[in-house]
């Protein structure tokens, strides 16, 4: 297969359009910064807390509808061992956005946090909050990796462009426009990207459904033809794993900084809620084309195509089924349009992950721990360097594994089992403290490692009920073990927080042994809460993490 020159030209035009939009948005960001009374970091990270409603909906939707979303759904539907019932991504996201809009957005917005780690830093201090940031940063790096893997595989199939070149070029473009204008650049490029995703995928679907090599997908949905029915089944023995995967996708997303970045950038709580609810509907609609593409691929006689036999699944190429279907079942110009959708999806998620991790490091580590008196200009450079470093790490990981689902599930898994219970406790349970958080954190990590992970070849030391070999010969947990770990971690946080409070409140241990100063911090929190609402430029330096000064000094435009 020769290099697809027309396709390269089209992709070049697409990248130019995205980069141009990013440059325009960065100029807008600079204008807004001059009008704003707050600092430039808030403009970069939260767009001055004044993002347009429609832009907010587009950027939140585009963040979730990434390359992993589009390719992962098609891969699950096509995979004869899975099927549609295991292509969970669109539906759990509805629950993610509704829970986020109804419950999580309010406490975050009322306290005017800059990142989701701010409440941890205020209550637990710098040391523990720094440890808690690690899983969030790792999840973002894996997010970057999975989006790039999806694009690299697609471009190498359709354009016959080297996997390495595809990934490097896309990473450079995304890093560049994220560097230029922060959330403004990310949000406004997301608008264009989401439109391209929607239009491009729906243009491809009719050609795929009417191609001469595939049977009617309604006939193959429940009948075995070229492979198992593409709808799939959930056996009773597999129900625990299905439930676990659903909960991971539904609740794991609530522990991502990228979600709160959009919520906190809205001008009001009502706007934040509308953004969540509208985005949930868009996710459902945008998942349909990938489902149809996976169904068509499962209904195809690959021996009658130029692809030949064995099938993509037998060749271990199920993860690239979407670009393979576009390449061999549609005209060339249609496949080029399809790759535009994948490229747009990748960019829309990658830039969000880059800015998300840069926010956590620059705000919660550099500004509040390393350089408390860092100037506004210095912080801008820290954010830019953070974006580049995360981009490089994520890009490097793409050469270790080529499966989109591996990076997707491992990243969300960490957010669900480790970060989600921590976030629930810090936002909704006043009793939580550093002792409980430490126990829950360590317990969550230890249990998750001992439970194993077949996707990365980690054997389980703890075998929950139902643990057995899967269809591919890998020892797999079919019990909802990740949900069990999450609940165990949450309960341990509350239990040990309660016990430590009793121990120090009752004087069973001297206050000099109170490493986390829970009595002092509870007293200061009671006094500081009303004062923070009235005097946002005041803070206490005695025992209170420096993030309080940053939060109270941050003014909205």
């Amino acid at each position: 297969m020769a290099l697809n020159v027309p396709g390269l030209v089209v992709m070049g035009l697409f990248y130019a359009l995205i980069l141009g939009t990013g440059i325009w948005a960065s100029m807008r960001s600079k204008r807004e910064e001059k009008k704003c009374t707050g600092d430039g970091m808030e403009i970069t990270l939260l767009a001055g807390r004044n993002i347009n409603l429609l832009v907010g909906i587009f950027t939140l939707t585009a963040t979730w509808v990434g390359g992993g979303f589009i390719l992962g759904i098609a891969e699950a539907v096509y995979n004869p061992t899975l099927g549609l019932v295991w292509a969970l991504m669109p539906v759990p996201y509805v629950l993610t956005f509704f829970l986020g809009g109804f419950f999580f957005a309010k406490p975050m917005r009322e306290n005017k946090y800059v990142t989701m780690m701010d409440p941890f830093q205020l209550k637990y201090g710098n040391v523990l909050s720094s440890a808690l940031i690690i899983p969030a940063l790792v999840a973002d790096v894996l997010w970057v990796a999975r989006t790039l893997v999806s694009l690299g595989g697609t471009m190498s199939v359709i354009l016959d462009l080297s996997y390495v070149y595809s990934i490097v070029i896309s990473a450079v473009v995304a890093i560049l426009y994220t560097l230029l204008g922060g959330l403004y650049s990310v949000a406004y490029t997301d608008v264009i990207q989401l439109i391209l995703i929607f239009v491009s995928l729906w243009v491809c679907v009719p050609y795929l459904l009417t191609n001469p090599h595939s049977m009617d997908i309604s006939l193959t949905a429940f009948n075995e033809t070229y492979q198992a029915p593409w709808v799939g089944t959930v056996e009773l023995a597999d129900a625990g794993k299905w439930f676990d995967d659903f909960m991971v996708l539904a609740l794991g997303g609530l522990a991502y900084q990228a979600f709160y970045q959009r919520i906190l950038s809205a001008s009001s709580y009502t706007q934040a809620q509308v953004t969540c609810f509208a985005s949930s509907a868009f996710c459902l609609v945008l998942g349909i084309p990938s489902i149809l593409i996976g169904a068509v691929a499962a209904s195809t006689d690959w021996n009658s195509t130029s692809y030949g036999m064995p099938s993509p699944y037998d060749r271990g190429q199920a993860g690239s089924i979407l670009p393979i279907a576009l390449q061999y079942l549609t005209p060339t110009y249609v496949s080029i349009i399809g790759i535009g959708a994948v490229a747009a999806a990748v960019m829309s998620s990658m830039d969000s992950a880059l800015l998300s991790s840069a926010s956590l490091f620059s705000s919660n580590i550099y500004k509040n721990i390393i350089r408390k008196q860092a100037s506004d200009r210095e912080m801008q450079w820290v954010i830019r360097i953070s974006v580049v470093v995360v981009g490089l790490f994520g890009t490097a990981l793409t050469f270790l594994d080529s499966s989109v689902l591996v990076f997707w599930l491992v990243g969300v898994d960490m957010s669900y089992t480790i970060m989600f219970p921590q976030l629930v406790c810090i936002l909704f349970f006043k009793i939580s403290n550093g002792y409980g958080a430490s126990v829950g954190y360590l317990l969550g990590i230890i249990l998750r490692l001992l439970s194993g992970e077949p996707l990365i070849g980690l054997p389980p030391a703890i075998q929950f009920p139902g643990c057995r070999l899967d269809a591919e010969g890998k020892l797999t947990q079919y019990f909802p073990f990740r949900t069990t770990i999450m609940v165990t971690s949450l309960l341990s946080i509350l239990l040990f927080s309660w016990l430590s409070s009793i121990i120090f409140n009752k004087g069973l241990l001297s206050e000099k042994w109170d490493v986390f100063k829970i009595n002092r911090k509870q007293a200061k929190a009671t006094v500081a809460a009303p004062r923070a609402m009235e005097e946002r430029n005041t803070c206490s330096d005695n025992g209170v993490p420096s993030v309080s000064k940053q939060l109270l000094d941050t003014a909205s435009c």
Side-chain angles (χ1 to χ4, degrees), residues 15 18-24 26 30 168-182 185-186 189 347 350-351 354 384 387-388 391:
Y15 283 144
I18 296 300
L19 195 55
T21 305
I23 293 171
W24 170 82
S26 69
K30 289 184 176 67
V168 171
I169 293 170
S170 304
V172 168
V173 173
I175 290 171
L176 272 178
Y177 73 73
T178 306
L179 284 175
L180 290 171
S185 289
V186 169
T189 52
M347 295 295 207
M350 181 178 173
D351 54 20
L354 290 173
R384 292 179 185 128
V387 167
V388 174

Side-chain angles (χ1 to χ4, degrees), residues 303-344:
N303 196 36
S304 68
T305 69
S306 57
Y307 183 86
M309 294 295 284
S311 69
Y313 176 76
D314 293 329
R315 296 188 194 185
Q317 295 181 327
S320 300
I321 193 60
L322 187 143
I324 289 173
L326 292 175
Q327 176 67 18
Y328 293 97
L329 303 179
T330 66
T332 302
Y333 64 90
V334 175
S335 65
I336 293 173
I337 294 173
I339 196 176
V342 177

Side-chain angles (χ1 to χ4, degrees), residues 100-369:
F102 276 121
F103 301 106
F104 288 81
K106 189 172 183 179
M108 283 288 185
R109 289 194 54 82
E110 282 183 345
N111 291 284
K112 294 194 177 294
Y113 295 132
V114 176
T115 74
M116 75 171 188
M117 297 306 300
D118 286 348
F120 294 97
Q121 208 153 25
L122 282 166
K123 191 169 186 179
Y124 299 159
N126 289 331
V127 176
L128 180 56
S129 62
S130 297
L132 291 171
I133 285 175
I134 294 173
L137 289 175
V138 172
D140 280 337
V141 172
L142 291 174
W143 193 354
V144 171
R146 73 172 180 248
T147 54
L148 286 174
V149 163
S150 61
L151 183 60
T154 303
M155 292 179 77
S156 61
V157 169
I158 295 178
L159 301 182
D160 197 30
L161 183 65
S162 165
Y163 181 82
V164 175
Y165 290 155
S166 304
I167 286 177
V168 171
I169 293 170
S170 304
V172 168
V173 173
I175 290 171
L176 272 178
Y177 73 73
T178 306
L179 284 175
L180 290 171
L183 187 58
Y184 268 116
S185 289
V186 169
Y188 281 96
T189 52
D190 280 349
V191 173
I192 293 176
Q193 289 157 353
L194 195 64
I195 293 172
L196 282 171
I197 294 169
F198 181 83
V199 173
S200 299
L201 285 178
W202 280 107
V203 165
C204 296
V205 165
Y207 290 92
L208 285 160
L209 291 174
T210 56
N211 88 86
H213 305 288
S214 305
M215 292 183 63
D216 187 333
I217 61 173
S218 64
L219 300 177
T220 58
F222 299 99
N223 301 299
E224 184 163 349
T225 51
Y226 302 114
Q227 63 176 57
W230 60 264
V231 169
T233 58
V234 179
E235 302 294 339
L236 184 60
D238 302 336
K241 187 176 186 301
W242 186 94
F243 173 77
D244 208 27
D245 288 348
F246 185 96
M247 296 302 291
V248 167
L249 291 171
L251 303 182
L254 290 170
Y256 269 108
Q257 162 63 14
F259 174 75
Y260 296 101
Q261 201 147 24
R262 273 77 190 156
I263 297 304
L264 294 169
S265 67
S267 59
S268 67
Y269 172 54
T270 302
Q271 181 178 322
Q273 281 192 312
V274 172
T275 299
C276 289
F277 302 152
S279 296
S280 65
F282 276 111
C283 282
L284 283 176
V285 173
L286 289 164
I288 295 173
S290 291
I291 292 173
L292 296 175
I293 293 171
V296 169
S299 310
T300 297
D301 177 11
W302 290 102
N303 196 36
S304 68
T305 69
S306 57
Y307 183 86
M309 294 295 284
S311 69
Y313 176 76
D314 293 329
R315 296 188 194 185
Q317 295 181 327
S320 300
I321 193 60
L322 187 143
I324 289 173
L326 292 175
Q327 176 67 18
Y328 293 97
L329 303 179
T330 66
T332 302
Y333 64 90
V334 175
S335 65
I336 293 173
I337 294 173
I339 196 176
V342 177
V346 166
M347 295 295 207
S348 66
S349 286
M350 181 178 173
D351 54 20
S352 299
L354 290 173
L355 192 62
S356 169
S357 50
S359 303
L360 293 175
F361 176 79
S362 60
S363 178
N364 297 105
I365 296 179
Y366 192 87
K367 176 72 172 176
N368 298 318
I369 300 176

